[in-house]
Amino acid sequence: MESATPARPRLSVGFILAENFTLSAFSLFVDQLRLAADEGDLSRPINCQWTIMGSRSEPVRASCGVTVSRTSGFVDPRRFDYIAVVGGILHAGKQVDEATMDYLRQAARAGVPLVGLCTGSFILARAGLMTGRRVCVNWYHYQDFLDEFPHHVPVADRLFVVDGDRITCPGGGSVGDLASWIVERSLGRAVAQKSRQILVLDQARPGNASQPHPPLVDTIADERVRRALLLMEQHLADPLLIADIAVRLQLSTRQLERLFQNVLGMRPAAFYRALRLKYARWLLDNTDRSVTDIALEAGFADCAHFSRHFKALHGFSPSDRRAREARAETDGPAVPPVSAIELAGPRLFG
C-alpha cells in the first residue's frame, strides 16, 4: 500500500547565504522555524520547512569562519512562503553572484515575499527590488546604505519593516523578533511563543520598536569628527579617553578639541558625556533595568556621579523619574519619555 503524499508544510522558507554572512542572523531565524515545526524539541520539519539554496555546491563561509553547505540549488520560488537573504560583511568582496540576483528577481516576479536580514537589504536593493520601498538597516550601516543608494530612504530606528512583500531587518537580536512575527502570522501565537520560550527569548518586540543604539548625526561634513562620533557611539559602556580617540584619528588632543568646538560648539568630553547621559535617559524610559545597571551601561562607574550629571542635564534625577513612573497610572506622566531619535540632538534618521 502506497503511503500518502506528505502534506506541504504550513510555512516554508528558502534561505540564501551571502559570502561572509552573519551566522547569528541565520541561526536565530532557522532555529525558530525548527522549534515551531514539531512538538517538543524533535526538530522534524512537519509544520515548517527550510531550504538553504545556492548557485554553487561549495559551502558558504560565514563572517566568523564557520561554513554552511547548501541543501539545494535554486528551485521554483513559488514553493516558498518567504525567501530570506542573509547578508553580512559589506566590504569583503562580492556578496552574491549574478545567478543569485537573477533568482531573486524571478522570485519577486512570482510575488514571493523577500526578506533581507542584516545587510541582505543591500543585496535586494542592488537587485533593483527595493525601489519605492522602505528599507530597514542597522544604524551602523545607515551611511553605507545612503552612499550606495542615494535615492532610497532607509529606516534605522526600527527592529524591522514590512513593506508589502518586502521585509527588511537590521540583524542581531531583531532577527528573533522578525522570525517570531513570521511564525505567529503563519502558525499562530502559541507556536511562536513555544519557540521563544525554548530559546529563552523574552516577549517578542514589534517591528516599530526602536533599535537600542541609535546613531549620531549624518550632517557633519568633517570626516574626522564623524569618525570620532562613531568611536564614541561604539564605546558608551566603556568610554574611551579623548586622548585615545585623538590618537586613533592621528590627531593631537588639541586638534580634536578645536575640531569639536568648530563643528559642534562643544568640547569632545562634554559631548561624549551628554551622549551617554541621553542614552541612559532612553534606557530609563524604555527598560525596567535598575538605576545602577543603567549607570554602568552608560559608562559611569559610580551611581552618585551618574545621578549628579543626569540631573544637571535633564533637570531631575533617575530616581525621581522612576518615582514619577510609579504615579503615572493615576496622574499621567509628568516627564515625557525621550525617544531614540532625541538621544543626541538631531538624529541620523530624524
Side-chain angles (χ1 to χ4, degrees), residues 234-239 276 279 296-300:
Q234 293 171 342
H235 292 272
L236 294 176
D238 56 338
R276 288 156 49 216
Y279 175 51
L296 293 173
E297 179 71 12
F300 291 87

Side-chain angles (χ1 to χ4, degrees), residues 5-338:
T5 302
R8 183 185 184 276
R10 292 159 60 193
L11 175 57
S12 181
V13 179
F15 287 94
I16 294 173
L17 307 179
E19 291 294 334
N20 293 296
F21 71 96
T22 305
L23 184 62
S24 59
F26 168 63
S27 60
L28 192 52
F29 198 120
V30 81
D31 246 5
Q32 294 230 34
L33 298 178
R34 176 183 70 84
L35 293 165
D38 198 3
E39 296 292 329
D41 193 20
L42 297 177
S43 302
R44 296 172 299 177
I46 298 172
N47 293 319
C48 301
Q49 186 177 65
W50 48 97
T51 304
I52 305 167
M53 297 182 292
S55 60
R56 302 188 305 273
S57 59
E58 298 85 8
V60 183
R61 182 186 183 278
S63 56
C64 65
V66 172
T67 57
V68 176
S69 298
R70 72 177 190 180
T71 59
S72 168
F74 292 133
V75 299
D76 186 341
R78 293 170 295 181
R79 289 174 46 180
F80 302 109
D81 299 295
Y82 299 89
I83 292 175
V85 184
V86 187
I89 296 178
L90 277 179
H91 308 297
K94 198 169 184 180
Q95 289 185 293
V96 298
D97 58 19
E98 196 54 41
T100 302
M101 292 292 206
D102 289 341
Y103 180 75
L104 290 171
R105 296 183 187 109
Q106 178 189 349
R109 289 193 297 270
V112 179
L114 300 176
V115 181
L117 302 177
C118 192
T119 61
S121 56
F122 284 71
I123 295 169
L124 294 179
R126 287 179 194 133
L129 301 176
M130 296 305 298
T131 303
R133 308 291 187 116
R134 290 180 300 154
V135 186
C136 188
V137 299
N138 191 296
W139 64 262
Y140 188 85
H141 290 303
Y142 182 93
Q143 192 60 47
D144 291 312
F145 194 91
L146 273 182
D147 290 344
E148 187 169 351
F149 309 106
H151 301 300
H152 287 68
V153 181
V155 176
D157 64 342
R158 300 188 177 211
L159 296 182
F160 60 88
V161 166
V162 180
D163 192 340
D165 54 5
R166 300 289 186 278
I167 304 172
T168 46
C169 172
S174 63
V175 174
D177 300 295
L178 172 57
S180 188
W181 180 83
I182 287 175
V183 169
E184 180 170 335
R185 193 165 182 251
S186 303
L187 304 175
R189 179 172 298 179
V191 176
Q193 186 178 50
K194 173 225 173 187
S195 291
R196 291 198 306 270
Q197 287 174 340
I198 294 177
L199 290 171
V200 200
L201 296 176
D202 204 352
Q203 182 176 0
R205 299 168 294 177
N208 61 3
S210 28
Q211 293 182 31
H213 289 285
L216 298 169
V217 297
D218 71 322
T219 55
I220 295 171
D222 194 294
E223 180 64 23
R224 295 163 297 179
V225 176
R226 292 177 60 86
R227 288 173 59 202
L229 296 180
L230 183 56
L231 285 169
M232 291 177 180
E233 186 74 29
Q234 293 171 342
H235 292 272
L236 294 176
D238 56 338
L240 298 170
L241 296 173
I242 299 303
D244 290 339
I245 295 176
V247 168
R248 294 192 189 199
L249 301 179
Q250 298 182 325
L251 298 170
S252 70
T253 303
R254 289 186 65 182
Q255 285 176 309
L256 186 60
E257 295 269 355
R258 195 160 47 245
L259 281 170
F260 264 69
Q261 286 287 2
N262 291 340
V263 174
L264 296 172
M266 295 177 69
R267 297 181 63 186
F271 188 92
Y272 201 175
R273 183 171 59 247
L275 174 64
R276 288 156 49 216
L277 288 167
K278 289 185 178 183
Y279 175 51
R281 170 75 188 275
W282 186 85
L283 290 172
L284 195 68
D285 287 336
N286 293 278
T287 75
D288 58 1
R289 296 173 66 170
S290 72
V291 172
T292 300
D293 280 349
I294 289 172
L296 293 173
E297 179 71 12
F300 291 87
D302 121 29
C303 208
H305 181 64
F306 163 64
S307 295
R308 185 167 63 253
H309 281 290
F310 188 97
K311 187 171 184 177
L313 179 67
H314 295 297
F316 55 91
S317 70
S319 54
D320 286 341
R321 175 63 181 150
R322 282 285 156 85
R324 293 181 190 191
E325 283 178 346
R327 296 195 301 268
E329 290 186 5
T330 54
D331 300 336
V335 181
V338 66

